[in-house]
Amino acid sequence: MPSKTLATPSIIAIGVMDPYGPYDIRFTYTDNQAVKNRAVIMDAETYETVYDETQLTMKLLHTIPAGTLQTGKCYTAMIQVFDADDNKSSLSENTLFYCYSRPVFSIKNVPAVCKNAHITLPLSYVQEEGEPLKSYQFFLYDTDYNMLNSSRIFFAGEDMYFTFSSLQNNCTYYYRAIGETMHGYQLDTGYRQVTVNYNVVPTNAVLVLENDGHHGCISIKTNIKSIGYQLLNDNYFFNDGAVTLFDNAVTYNEGFSLDGDFSLFVEAKKLPLGVFWQAENGAFTLRIVHICNLYYCEFATDNCVLYSPLPKSRLSTSDEEFLVTESGKLLEIINPGYDDDAFIVFEVKRIDSSYSLRTYHKFY
C-alpha cells in the first residue's frame, strides 16, 4: 500500500517554559490515529538543533525531559506525527518560545493577625534571568472564599503593594495576588489567611461615661473634634449622610491641617471636571480630567503630577452582590462615562517628600 502524508500538526502556543522540570508540548492534529511523534527544537539565535527525539504515545503531546534546555534562551519547536503504518506528516511550523526558571511570586511580611482596620499587602517578585513582570492584581475574600474586593490591574513599574481598608473587627479574611510575566508565566500567590483583631481604645470613642462614686455623679467626656468651615452660599442639602453642593464650595478653616506626613481621604461622587479640592495656599490640587475618552483624578503639586484612573462601575445582582467571572475577576462596565452613581474614595498620602494617589470605590 502506498504511503500517505498525514495532516500537519499545529503546536499550541508555548510562550515560556521552565527547563528545570519536564514540560509537555501540546499540539492539535486531525488525521489517522497517531502512535508516535517527533519533536525538533532549535536554538533561535544559532539555528543549531538541540533536541530531536521521537516518543511512542497516542496522546497529542511530547514531553521535553527536565534539564534538556537552558534558562535565559530562546528556542523554536516543530512537531511531526506518525501512524501505525509508519505514515508521517510534515514538520509543523516553527513555534517560538522562551526558557526561564519559574519566578518566586509572593506576599511577604504580613502578620497572621491584623491589628488595624486596614491591611497593606507588599508583593515580591524574583526571577533569576530577569524575566520582567508584566501585570498583577490583588484580591480580598471572606471565609468562604467569596471575593469581597479587588485592586485594579497594576503594570510593571508601579508600586508593588496594595491596601485594603474598612476591615471588620474580629473577622477572618483571605487575600491573594495573581500576575503574569512578559512572556506568559501565570503567577498566583495562593490564598493566605488573616484575622482582624484590634482594640477600640476609649480615646476613639465619641462618648465616654465615667462613674464618680465619690461625688455621686457620672462624668461625661466627648471626643468630637469640631472642624470649622465656611460655605459660599446656601445652595446645599443633606441626604443619607452626604451633603450635596450646587454652585457652591466649602472651606475648612479651623481644626484641619496637612503638616508633615499625612493621609487624606476624600469621598465624593459626580464631581465636575476641573479642580474639586485644593489645599491651603494652593500647595496641591485634586481635579477630574478627561483624557482619550477616559476619566482620571489628577494630583498636582509644584514638584510632581500624579494620575489615577477613576474606577469602573461594577455589575451586581438585585441583592447587591458583585458579579464575578469563573476566574474570580469582578465584572465591570466598559467606559461608563462619568455618571457613575457610586461614591469614589480619593486617597492621597505623603511620606517624607513622596506622594501617592489612589482612587477606588468605597468598600463597605
Side-chain angles (χ1 to χ4, degrees):
M1 184 173 63
S3 62
K4 171 187 175 182
T5 300
L6 303 177
T8 304
S10 179
I11 295 177
I12 299 173
I14 300 171
V16 64
M17 179 190 299
D18 180 4
Y20 289 125
Y23 185 90
D24 293 334
I25 296 179
R26 299 181 181 274
F27 56 90
T28 59
Y29 163 74
T30 54
D31 208 329
N32 295 351
Q33 174 69 60
V35 297
K36 60 182 178 180
N37 63 69
R38 171 190 176 207
V40 179
I41 298 178
M42 301 174 63
D43 188 309
E45 295 182 356
T46 65
Y47 302 104
E48 177 188 359
T49 299
V50 297
Y51 179 86
D52 188 347
E53 298 290 340
T54 300
Q55 295 180 356
L56 295 173
T57 177
M58 293 184 180
K59 296 180 180 179
L60 300 183
L61 60 83
H62 187 103
T63 302
I64 307 299
T68 300
L69 306 177
Q70 299 179 35
T71 58
K73 295 184 67 67
C74 180
Y75 297 93
T76 61
M78 297 181 289
I79 290 289
Q80 184 179 32
V81 297
F82 303 81
D83 66 10
D85 297 321
D86 212 28
N87 296 315
K88 61 184 177 180
S89 72
S90 300
L91 283 165
S92 68
E93 292 186 2
N94 273 323
T95 295
L96 185 73
F97 66 95
Y98 297 82
C99 278
Y100 292 107
S101 55
R102 177 158 288 279
V104 177
F105 185 72
S106 60
I107 297 174
K108 291 188 173 182
N109 302 321
V110 178
V113 178
C114 178
K115 298 294 185 179
N116 300 288
H118 63 271
I119 184 171
T120 298
L121 307 177
L123 188 61
S124 173
Y125 173 80
V126 179
Q127 206 287 322
E128 290 183 6
E129 297 80 38
E131 159 78 328
L133 178 63
K134 177 183 176 182
S135 62
Y136 48 96
Q137 189 174 17
F138 299 84
F139 299 90
L140 185 70
Y141 303 84
D142 64 15
T143 53
D144 295 322
Y145 298 95
N146 298 310
M147 188 171 61
L148 300 174
N149 201 7
S150 68
S151 72
R152 65 179 176 88
I153 297 176
F154 294 91
F155 295 94
E158 299 188 76
D159 292 332
M160 292 185 62
Y161 65 88
F162 187 77
T163 300
F164 287 109
S165 303
S166 302
L167 303 181
Q168 299 295 315
N169 199 13
N170 299 318
C171 288
T172 297
Y173 297 90
Y174 289 93
Y175 58 86
R176 74 191 261 248
I178 63 172
E180 182 180 359
T181 68
M182 190 63 67
H183 292 107
Y185 263 133
Q186 300 300 311
L187 308 172
D188 194 330
T189 63
Y191 296 88
R192 295 187 60 183
Q193 179 179 302
V194 62
T195 300
V196 179
N197 186 353
Y198 54 86
N199 296 322
V200 181
V201 297
T203 54
N204 289 337
V206 174
L207 192 66
V208 178
L209 304 180
E210 293 183 357
N211 182 30
D212 187 347
H214 181 72
H215 295 93
C217 64
I218 295 177
S219 63
I220 301 176
K221 297 180 181 179
T222 66
N223 194 38
I224 299 174
K225 186 173 184 178
S226 178
I227 303 295
Y229 68 92
Q230 182 178 359
L231 289 162
L232 289 180
N233 52 55
D234 294 331
N235 295 334
Y236 68 91
F237 62 86
F238 289 96
N239 185 39
D240 291 333
V243 60
T244 298
L245 302 176
F246 48 99
D247 297 326
N248 204 347
V250 59
T251 300
Y252 296 102
N253 52 23
E254 186 179 353
F256 187 88
S257 65
L258 294 175
D259 297 328
D261 295 345
F262 66 82
S263 295
L264 171 68
F265 299 87
V266 179
E267 182 184 338
K269 66 178 179 179
K270 294 188 175 180
L271 293 167
L273 288 174
V275 175
F276 66 88
W277 202 97
Q278 179 174 293
E280 185 180 8
N281 300 324
F284 66 82
T285 59
L286 292 171
R287 74 174 68 223
I288 302 297
V289 294
H290 189 201
I291 304 174
C292 297
N293 294 323
L294 295 175
Y295 292 86
Y296 296 82
C297 175
E298 176 194 88
F299 168 84
T301 71
D302 292 337
N303 301 318
C304 73
V305 178
L306 303 176
Y307 292 90
S308 178
L310 299 190
K312 298 176 182 177
S313 300
R314 294 172 175 175
L315 298 179
S316 62
T317 66
S318 57
D319 297 328
E320 298 185 353
E321 294 288 336
F322 288 134
L323 297 177
V324 297
T325 65
E326 292 182 356
S327 61
K329 293 186 176 181
L330 287 167
L331 290 176
E332 297 177 329
I333 298 173
I334 298 177
N335 193 21
Y338 188 49
D339 57 358
D340 185 12
D341 191 30
F343 280 100
I344 296 175
V345 177
F346 302 86
E347 176 187 307
V348 178
K349 291 185 178 181
R350 181 172 72 192
I351 299 177
D352 296 329
S353 58
S354 299
Y355 290 91
S356 65
L357 171 68
R358 289 179 55 219
T359 55
Y360 50 89
H361 283 129
K362 184 175 181 181
F363 170 47
Y364 295 90

